[in-house]
Every structure is written in structure tokens, then in C-alpha cells.
Coordinates of all heavy atoms in Angstrom, one line a residue:
L14 N -195.6 -93.2 258.8 CA -194.2 -93.5 259.2 C -194.1 -93.8 260.7 O -193.4 -94.8 261.1 CB -193.3 -92.3 258.9 CG -193.0 -92.1 257.4 CD1 -192.3 -90.7 257.2 CD2 -192.1 -93.2 256.9
E15 N -194.8 -93.1 261.5 CA -194.8 -93.3 263.0 C -195.4 -94.7 263.3 O -194.9 -95.4 264.2 CB -195.5 -92.2 263.7 CG -194.7 -90.9 263.9 CD -193.6 -91.2 265.0 OE1 -193.9 -91.2 266.2 OE2 -192.4 -91.4 264.6
G16 N -196.5 -95.0 262.7 CA -197.1 -96.3 262.9 C -196.2 -97.4 262.5 O -196.0 -98.4 263.3
C17 N -195.5 -97.3 261.4 CA -194.6 -98.4 261.0 C -193.4 -98.4 261.9 O -192.9 -99.5 262.2 CB -194.1 -98.1 259.5 SG -195.4 -98.3 258.3
R18 N -192.9 -97.3 262.3 CA -191.7 -97.3 263.2 C -192.0 -98.0 264.5 O -191.3 -98.9 264.9 CB -191.4 -95.8 263.5 CG -190.4 -95.6 264.7 CD -190.4 -94.2 265.2 NE -189.7 -94.1 266.5 CZ -189.8 -93.0 267.2 NH1 -190.5 -92.0 266.8 NH2 -189.1 -92.9 268.3
H19 N -193.1 -97.7 265.2 CA -193.4 -98.2 266.5 C -193.9 -99.7 266.4 O -193.7 -100.5 267.3 CB -194.5 -97.4 267.2 CG -194.0 -96.1 267.6 ND1 -193.1 -95.9 268.6 CD2 -194.3 -94.8 267.2 CE1 -192.8 -94.6 268.8 NE2 -193.6 -93.9 267.9
A20 N -194.5 -100.1 265.2 CA -194.9 -101.5 265.0 C -193.8 -102.3 264.5 O -194.0 -103.5 264.3 CB -196.1 -101.5 264.1
K21 N -192.6 -101.7 264.2 CA -191.4 -102.4 263.7 C -191.8 -103.2 262.4 O -191.5 -104.4 262.2 CB -190.9 -103.4 264.8 CG -190.4 -102.6 266.0 CD -189.7 -103.6 267.0 CE -189.3 -102.8 268.3 NZ -188.6 -101.6 268.1
V22 N -192.5 -102.5 261.5 CA -192.8 -103.0 260.2 C -191.5 -103.3 259.4 O -190.6 -102.5 259.5 CB -193.7 -102.0 259.5 CG1 -193.9 -102.4 258.0 CG2 -195.1 -102.0 260.1
K23 N -191.5 -104.4 258.7 CA -190.3 -104.8 258.0 C -190.1 -104.2 256.7 O -189.1 -104.3 256.1 CB -190.4 -106.4 257.9 CG -190.3 -107.1 259.2 CD -190.3 -108.6 259.0 CE -190.2 -109.4 260.3 NZ -191.4 -109.1 261.1
H24 N -191.2 -103.5 256.1 CA -191.0 -102.9 254.8 C -192.2 -102.0 254.6 O -193.4 -102.4 254.7 CB -191.0 -103.9 253.7 CG -190.6 -103.3 252.4 ND1 -190.8 -104.0 251.2 CD2 -189.9 -102.2 252.0 CE1 -190.3 -103.3 250.2 NE2 -189.8 -102.1 250.7
L25 N -191.9 -100.7 254.3 CA -193.0 -99.7 253.9 C -192.8 -99.4 252.4 O -191.7 -98.9 252.0 CB -192.8 -98.5 254.7 CG -193.7 -97.2 254.2 CD1 -195.2 -97.6 254.2 CD2 -193.4 -96.0 255.0
V26 N -193.8 -99.7 251.6 CA -193.8 -99.3 250.2 C -194.8 -98.2 250.1 O -195.9 -98.3 250.5 CB -194.2 -100.5 249.3 CG1 -194.3 -100.0 247.8 CG2 -193.2 -101.6 249.5
F27 N -194.4 -97.0 249.5 CA -195.3 -95.9 249.4 C -195.2 -95.3 248.0 O -194.3 -95.4 247.2 CB -194.8 -94.8 250.4 CG -193.5 -94.2 250.2 CD1 -193.4 -93.0 249.5 CD2 -192.3 -94.8 250.7 CE1 -192.2 -92.4 249.3 CE2 -191.1 -94.2 250.5 CZ -191.0 -93.0 249.8
A28 N -196.3 -94.6 247.7 CA -196.5 -94.0 246.4 C -195.8 -92.6 246.3 O -196.1 -91.7 247.1 CB -198.0 -93.8 246.1
S29 N -194.9 -92.5 245.4 CA -194.4 -91.2 245.0 C -195.0 -90.9 243.7 O -196.1 -91.4 243.3 CB -192.9 -91.1 245.0 OG -192.4 -89.8 244.8
S30 N -194.4 -90.0 242.9 CA -195.0 -89.6 241.6 C -193.9 -89.2 240.6 O -192.9 -88.6 241.0 CB -196.0 -88.5 241.8 OG -196.4 -87.9 240.6
S31 N -194.2 -89.4 239.3 CA -193.3 -88.8 238.3 C -193.3 -87.3 238.4 O -192.3 -86.7 237.8 CB -193.7 -89.3 236.9 OG -195.0 -88.8 236.6
S32 N -194.2 -86.7 239.1 CA -194.3 -85.2 239.2 C -193.0 -84.7 239.9 O -192.7 -83.5 239.7 CB -195.5 -84.8 239.9 OG -196.7 -85.1 239.2
V33 N -192.3 -85.5 240.7 CA -191.2 -85.0 241.4 C -190.1 -84.5 240.4 O -189.2 -83.7 240.8 CB -190.6 -86.1 242.4 CG1 -191.6 -86.5 243.4 CG2 -190.0 -87.3 241.6
Y34 N -190.1 -85.0 239.2 CA -189.0 -84.6 238.2 C -189.2 -83.2 237.8 O -188.3 -82.6 237.2 CB -189.0 -85.6 237.0 CG -188.5 -86.9 237.4 CD1 -189.4 -88.0 237.6 CD2 -187.2 -87.2 237.6 CE1 -188.9 -89.3 237.9 CE2 -186.7 -88.4 238.0 CZ -187.6 -89.5 238.1 OH -187.1 -90.7 238.5
G35 N -190.4 -82.6 238.0 CA -190.6 -81.2 237.8 C -190.1 -80.6 236.5 O -190.5 -81.1 235.4
S36 N -189.2 -79.7 236.6 CA -188.8 -79.0 235.3 C -187.6 -79.7 234.7 O -187.0 -79.2 233.7 CB -188.4 -77.5 235.7 OG -187.4 -77.5 236.7
N37 N -187.3 -80.9 235.1 CA -186.2 -81.7 234.5 C -186.5 -81.8 233.0 O -187.6 -82.1 232.6 CB -186.0 -83.1 235.1 CG -185.4 -83.0 236.4 OD1 -185.4 -82.0 237.1 ND2 -184.9 -84.2 236.9
A38 N -185.5 -81.7 232.1 CA -185.7 -81.8 230.7 C -185.1 -83.0 230.1 O -185.3 -83.3 228.9 CB -185.3 -80.5 230.0
K39 N -184.1 -83.6 230.8 CA -183.4 -84.8 230.3 C -184.4 -86.0 230.3 O -184.9 -86.3 231.4 CB -182.2 -85.1 231.1 CG -181.4 -86.3 230.6 CD -180.2 -86.5 231.4 CE -180.5 -87.1 232.8 NZ -181.1 -88.5 232.7
L40 N -184.6 -86.6 229.2 CA -185.4 -87.8 229.1 C -184.6 -89.0 228.6 O -183.7 -88.8 227.8 CB -186.6 -87.5 228.1 CG -187.5 -86.4 228.4 CD1 -188.5 -86.2 227.3 CD2 -188.3 -86.7 229.7
P41 N -184.9 -90.2 229.1 CA -186.0 -90.5 230.1 C -185.6 -90.0 231.5 O -184.4 -89.9 231.8 CB -186.2 -92.0 230.0 CG -184.8 -92.5 229.6 CD -184.3 -91.4 228.7
F42 N -186.5 -89.9 232.4 CA -186.3 -89.5 233.8 C -185.7 -90.8 234.5 O -186.2 -91.9 234.4 CB -187.6 -89.1 234.5 CG -188.2 -87.9 234.0 CD1 -189.6 -87.7 234.0 CD2 -187.4 -86.8 233.5 CE1 -190.2 -86.6 233.5 CE2 -188.0 -85.7 233.0 CZ -189.4 -85.5 233.1
S43 N -184.6 -90.5 235.2 CA -183.9 -91.6 236.0 C -184.0 -91.3 237.5 O -183.9 -90.1 237.9 CB -182.5 -91.7 235.5 OG -181.7 -92.5 236.4
E44 N -184.1 -92.3 238.3 CA -184.1 -92.2 239.7 C -182.7 -91.5 240.2 O -182.7 -91.0 241.3 CB -184.2 -93.5 240.4 CG -185.5 -94.2 240.1 CD -185.4 -95.2 239.0 OE1 -184.5 -95.0 238.1 OE2 -186.1 -96.2 238.9
D45 N -181.7 -91.6 239.4 CA -180.4 -91.0 239.7 C -180.4 -89.5 239.4 O -179.4 -88.8 239.8 CB -179.3 -91.7 239.0 CG -179.2 -93.1 239.4 OD1 -179.4 -93.4 240.6 OD2 -178.8 -94.0 238.5
D46 N -181.4 -88.9 238.8 CA -181.5 -87.5 238.5 C -181.8 -86.7 239.7 O -182.5 -87.2 240.6 CB -182.6 -87.2 237.4 CG -182.2 -87.9 236.1 OD1 -181.0 -88.1 235.8 OD2 -183.2 -88.1 235.3
N47 N -181.3 -85.5 239.7 CA -181.7 -84.5 240.8 C -183.2 -84.1 240.6 O -183.7 -83.9 239.5 CB -180.8 -83.3 240.7 CG -181.1 -82.2 241.7 OD1 -182.2 -81.6 241.7 ND2 -180.2 -82.1 242.7
V48 N -183.9 -84.1 241.7 CA -185.3 -83.7 241.7 C -185.6 -82.6 242.7 O -186.6 -82.6 243.4 CB -186.3 -84.9 242.0 CG1 -186.3 -85.9 240.8 CG2 -185.9 -85.7 243.2
D49 N -184.8 -81.6 242.6 CA -184.9 -80.4 243.5 C -185.7 -79.3 242.9 O -185.7 -78.2 243.5 CB -183.6 -79.9 244.0 CG -182.9 -80.9 244.9 OD1 -183.6 -81.7 245.6 OD2 -181.6 -80.8 245.0

């Protein structure tokens, strides 16, 4: 993030994971779901 910030990169694409949905039971998982 710091490298992209200082280099004024125009777009950072990064890997997250379906694991963030954790104990969510509503399927399918939506990006609009809470992932706390």
C-alpha cells in the first residue's frame, strides 16, 4: 500500500478470500453481506 501510494499507482488489485465470510450461513455469499 505504501509503495502504491508514493508511486501514485492508478489501480491496486489485491487478493482477498472467501474465508472472510466466516460463520455466515446465508448462501450464496454476497459482497453486500457483513463479514465481521
Side-chain angles (χ1 to χ4, degrees):
L14 287 170
E15 277 291 282
C17 290
R18 166 199 171 191
H19 291 291
K21 301 187 184 306
V22 167
K23 296 181 178 64
H24 191 196
L25 168 63
V26 177
F27 65 95
S29 185
S30 169
S31 62
S32 295
V33 301
Y34 290 104
S36 57
N37 287 19
K39 181 181 74 67
L40 298 175
F42 295 147
S43 168
E44 300 94 332
D45 295 324
D46 295 338
N47 180 287
V48 288
D49 287 339

